[in-house]
Amino acid sequence: MELPGPLEQSPSRSQPPFSPHILRLAWAAAVVLLLTAANVPLPGTPPSTGTTGIYAPVWSWPTDPKPAVLAGFDPPPEPWSRGHRGVDLETHDGASVLAPQDGTVSFVGWVVDRPVITIDHGNGLRSNFEPVSSELQKGDPVDKGAELGTVDGASHCPPGCLHWGVRQGEEYINPLQFVMDMRPSVLLPRPME
C-alpha cells in the first residue's frame, strides 16, 4: 500500500476536522474563560471591584444585619404572567431599610394597599422596596447605607418581611446579583507538576 505524499491529501481528510459551528462555540467558551479569569464582568452582571479576582459587591444589603432570603427571584416567562419579580428578605416591622447604593428617590407612596419607595440609582437601575414607610420625598438624594424608611405592615410575604425588586430599564433583574457573588463557576485545568 502506498502512503500519500506530504502534499497529497488523504481521501479521509477531505472534510475539516471540526465544523465551523463547533469552532465558534470553542472560541466563545475561550473568550468567556479569559474574561472570567481576568475578572472582567460579563454583560448583564454587576462589576466586582479590586484586581484580586475576588468578588467584591458594589451594593450593600438593604437591611443590617444581612437578612435571610425567604423567597428568591423567580421571574415570569412573560411580562404579564405570575412570578416573583424580586426577593423577600427576613426582617421585622419597624426595621430600618437602607439604600443599597447611592441614588435619588423616584417614587414614594402607596401601591394598592402597601407603602412603597423606589430609588433611581442611575444607568437605568431602580430599586423598589415594600412595605416601607418613609418621610423622604420624590427627588431627595440618598447615599449608600442611608435610611430610606422602616418596614411597615404586610406585604405579599409573611408579616415583617421586606420585598426588594430591581429593574434595569423596564426589565426586573435579580437583586441578589448586586450583593452576592452569582458568577458561574469555572473549572480551570489542573496545574502540571
Side-chain angles (χ1 to χ4, degrees):
M1 174 176 170
E2 190 175 320
L3 296 173
L7 298 177
E8 296 176 10
Q9 186 174 21
S10 169
S12 64
R13 298 287 293 164
S14 62
Q15 295 291 324
F18 300 105
S19 74
H21 178 68
I22 296 295
L23 292 174
R24 282 192 297 272
L25 285 174
W27 181 83
V31 168
V32 168
L33 183 61
L34 288 172
L35 290 175
T36 303
N39 200 31
V40 174
L42 299 174
T45 60
S48 60
T49 58
T51 58
T52 62
I54 297 173
Y55 179 80
V58 293
W59 288 23
S60 58
W61 287 92
T63 61
D64 188 28
K66 174 184 165 184
V69 177
L70 299 174
F73 182 67
D74 185 19
E78 302 294 340
W80 59 85
S81 301
R82 289 181 62 124
H84 195 229
R85 295 166 173 85
V87 294
D88 295 337
L89 306 176
E90 184 177 36
T91 187
H92 57 85
D93 273 347
S96 291
V97 177
L98 310 173
Q101 185 53 278
D102 297 344
T104 304
V105 176
S106 62
F107 176 82
V108 60
W110 287 80
V111 175
V112 185
D113 59 350
R114 301 175 198 130
V116 174
I117 187 166
T118 302
I119 307 300
D120 185 335
H121 303 290
N123 297 322
L125 290 170
R126 290 171 290 168
S127 289
N128 62 289
F129 302 95
E130 64 176 72
V132 176
S133 283
S134 179
E135 298 297 318
L136 296 173
Q137 296 183 15
K138 183 177 179 177
D140 286 348
V142 293
D143 294 327
K144 179 179 178 179
E147 185 174 302
L148 302 175
T150 56
V151 175
D152 182 20
S155 181
H156 65 272
C157 52
C161 88
L162 174 68
H163 176 83
W164 178 23
V166 174
R167 283 185 286 175
Q168 186 165 33
E170 294 305 312
E171 180 182 354
Y172 282 91
I173 59 177
N174 189 347
L176 297 181
Q177 70 180 312
F178 295 97
V179 293
M180 296 172 62
D181 188 354
M182 299 185 74
R183 296 174 296 174
S185 297
V186 176
L187 296 177
L188 299 175
R190 184 175 175 187
M192 300 294 285
E193 294 180 6

